[in-house]
Amino acid sequence: MASDSPSRLPASRFKTLEQFILERQDHIPVATGGFSRLLRDLSIAAKVVNSYIRRAGLLDVLGDSGEVNVQGEVQQQLDAIAHAEFVEALRLGGESCLIVSEEADEIIPVAPSSGRGGRYIVLLDPLDGSSNIDVNVSVGTIFSVYHLPEGQQPTVDAALQPGSAQIAAGYVIYGSSTMLVYTAGDGVNGFTLDPAVGEFLLSHPNITTPSNGRFYSIDEGNSAAFEDGLERYLRWMEYEQAKPSTYKTRYIGSFITDFHRNLLKGGVYMYPATAVYPDGKLRLMYEANPMAFIAEQAGGQASDGHRRILDIQPSALHERTALYIGSPAMVQRAEAFLRGDADAGKLP
Ligand code: AHM
Ligand code: MG
């Protein structure tokens, strides 16, 4: 059917990530020009990593790299590629002074470029869930941003700040579409990559998470080591499952993917202490903290089962934590079961 005006490309109808950040810059104190450039650098690396992932089966990038990272986990080739791309983009951008990555044992200092020193500390999980990559399951990048504290040098101590000191956090999900979701402490916004024009476009403004949800995400293969309270919580949800429209298990084994679904639809992701990982599997500083910041900004909660994730003072770059994150009512119920509250099942 003929139309009066030519149809417009989606890109011309949506705000780009860059336009959005520049507009915000005038309103929020953290969003200086340097911060805007830092996010631009992260988004550039995300687009490069996205291009590898989209063609992963065609390029020679699948399978492990033959290396074991500091976590004692087998590194995938794409872990190493994503790490290199993010580090390089941050180095070239010149806004960061220090990088911490899941794929590097030590801190990565960034030399000042053109005599100008960066002010930001960036912590990264360059490619989370990468054990899924060979089977075409969604994976993601997680980032967390801090200021270099006034008067401090960019050392390990400067990086060991509690999550509550983050000035920004975000993730990129390389899914059926590629999205960048971030917060700078003034709400959560999501941008979808338009592959035709190569821009992240504002598609999910002001994301808020449902206060309660249907989905619970946990690897029940580890249940032999679960504490009693968690066992009771799971059995309670199974019992409730018998009623119409109640709980459903959804576990992909790719944290960002499970988190993203639960953020939008309502749910809780849980990775407790297990026999193999007695402190929990996920890393506090570049997995739990950034996602906790996003969850809280969207109206959700994040806990290690007993205390708020963002209040934990880290003592090591790669330390692990148990994690319960998502809809506030579900996180609170998990905590109540873990405390052994008799009325945990009766909470709203
Ligand atoms: P990774 O950072 O080495 O990829 O490990 C984190 C991943 C999460 O994405 C995922 O939720 C979890 O490990 C899955 O672990 P498991 O296979 O033990 O259920
Ligand atoms: Mg990870």
Side-chain angles (χ1 to χ4, degrees):
M1 194 168 76
S3 92
D4 294 342
S5 59
S7 62
R8 297 163 71 198
L9 274 174
S12 60
R13 281 191 269 122
F14 294 88
K15 221 170 259 177
T16 67
L17 175 63
E18 205 148 348
Q19 287 168 335
F20 181 85
I21 297 167
L22 286 171
E23 277 175 21
R24 287 274 160 131
Q25 191 167 300
D26 302 332
H27 305 301
I28 54 170
V30 298
T32 60
F35 177 75
S36 304
R37 288 192 293 274
L38 183 82
L39 275 187
R40 176 207 58 200
D41 299 338
L42 290 164
S43 73
I44 290 170
K47 287 180 205 172
V48 176
V49 171
N50 178 64
S51 75
Y52 278 104
I53 291 172
R54 293 287 161 227
R55 293 174 296 151
L58 306 172
L59 306 174
D60 188 20
V61 294
L62 293 179
D64 65 65
S65 66
E67 301 288 324
V68 173
N69 67 15
V70 63
Q71 325 290 330
E73 287 153 2
V74 177
Q75 196 183 51
Q76 302 294 308
Q77 289 188 62
L78 273 165
D79 281 326
I81 291 170
H83 167 83
E85 291 298 341
F86 275 94
V87 169
E88 190 56 17
L90 290 170
R91 266 197 219 283
L92 285 173
E95 300 301 336
S96 59
C97 56
L98 184 66
I99 302 167
V100 175
S101 165
E102 178 177 333
E103 303 305 331
D105 306 8
E106 311 288 344
I107 54 170
I108 304 169
V110 181
S113 62
S114 337
R116 192 170 54 93
R119 304 166 52 218
Y120 298 103
I121 298 173
V122 181
L123 296 98
L124 287 168
D125 182 348
L127 202 60
D128 184 66
S130 55
S131 64
N132 290 297
I133 196 89
D134 289 3
V135 290
N136 209 2
V137 168
S138 305
V139 290
T141 297
I142 311 175
F143 60 88
S144 167
V145 182
Y146 293 84
H147 274 138
L148 175 66
E150 207 60 50
Q152 278 204 43
Q153 292 302 312
T155 58
V156 172
D157 281 349
L160 292 176
Q161 301 182 45
S164 55
Q166 288 172 103
I167 60 161
Y171 61 88
V172 183
I173 177 168
Y174 309 100
S176 40
S177 61
T178 295
M179 276 186 74
L180 187 152
V181 176
Y182 89 97
T183 182
D186 63 338
V188 179
N189 290 281
F191 301 79
T192 300
L193 181 65
D194 182 338
V197 293
E199 292 280 2
F200 282 104
L201 304 175
L202 180 62
S203 53
H204 294 62
N206 293 320
I207 295 173
T208 54
T209 199
S211 58
N212 214 331
R214 298 185 67 193
F215 298 121
Y216 66 101
S217 312
I218 186 167
D219 184 347
E220 288 203 69
N222 295 314
S223 63
F226 288 170
E227 50 187 301
D228 291 349
L230 176 55
E231 265 305 317
R232 281 197 296 275
Y233 182 35
L234 296 174
R235 297 296 80 78
W236 178 84
M237 280 193 284
E238 275 171 20
Y239 175 77
E240 291 287 305
Q241 256 171 354
K243 302 176 186 168
S245 307
T246 53
Y247 297 104
K248 284 188 169 298
T249 311
R250 291 283 187 277
Y251 188 72
I252 293 169
S254 183
F255 175 36
I256 296 179
T257 313
D258 281 312
F259 176 89
H260 185 72
R261 180 201 50 246
N262 294 350
L263 177 75
L264 298 182
K265 302 281 188 192
V268 63
Y269 171 96
M270 300 176 273
Y271 209 113
T274 68
V276 178
Y277 297 108
D279 299 320
K281 182 178 184 191
L282 298 186
R283 276 50 55 118
L284 175 63
M285 300 215 56
Y286 41 79
E287 293 180 318
N289 272 341
M291 301 305 251
F293 190 18
I294 293 166
E296 287 197 4
Q297 283 292 315
Q301 282 186 12
S303 162
D304 71 353
H306 307 281
R307 58 193 168 148
R308 182 180 176 232
I309 288 289
L310 295 182
D311 288 339
I312 299 174
Q313 174 60 50
S315 54
L317 294 176
H318 299 285
E319 81 181 64
R320 297 175 190 268
T321 180
L323 181 63
Y324 297 79
I325 187 166
S327 294
M330 298 180 87
V331 175
Q332 285 161 25
R333 195 188 297 282
E335 287 182 324
F337 271 103
L338 289 165
R339 274 195 308 268
D341 290 3
D343 59 355
K346 299 199 184 78
L347 290 175

